[in-house]
Amino acid sequence: SSPTSSWAAATASCYLMAIRFGSRRARPFAARVLRLVSLEAAAAAAATAANAANAANAANVNAAAAAPAASQPQQSQGGEVRAVFARLGELVPSWTWLPWLPQLVAMLGR
């Protein structure tokens, strides 16, 4: 996990906890939490596509040249912000998400 991902997860956690405990000033930040989740999902999809491309390229190379590429560590998929959202999102009052219902439905389609 990168430091940026950790900061994003901490940010999402703080916003969700503030909303949970009734801060009126924190409610508009629910949109930022949704944005952080979508950015992380897009980054994970890009990493998955890159890993698939690397695997396809390694399969086309002879066995002697592919051995060093296979020994390289895979990038982690992250998911810190999504994990925070899954854990704390259900603690936030459901009416908080009503203004962002179209964005939530669009995220389901991705």
Side-chain angles (χ1 to χ4, degrees):
S1 75
S2 70
T4 304
S5 179
S6 297
W7 281 109
T11 301
S13 176
C14 289
Y15 287 155
L16 289 172
M17 291 302 285
I19 294 168
R20 176 184 178 208
F21 290 114
S23 172
R24 290 176 156 243
R25 292 176 51 194
R27 287 183 204 154
F29 291 117
R32 285 194 186 173
V33 172
L34 295 177
R35 179 70 176 154
L36 290 172
V37 171
S38 68
L39 288 175
E40 185 178 72
T48 301
N51 287 340
N54 288 340
N57 288 337
N60 293 332
V61 179
N62 64 25
S71 66
Q72 294 176 351
Q74 295 287 329
Q75 289 182 337
S76 67
Q77 294 297 320
E80 292 182 45
V81 177
R82 289 180 284 176
V84 166
F85 184 76
R87 189 178 77 242
L88 298 176
E90 63 187 34
L91 301 176
V92 174
S94 57
W95 56 264
T96 304
W97 303 110
L98 289 177
W100 294 282
L101 198 56
Q103 289 84 349
L104 289 167
V105 171
M107 288 173 70
L108 288 174
R110 291 187 206 157

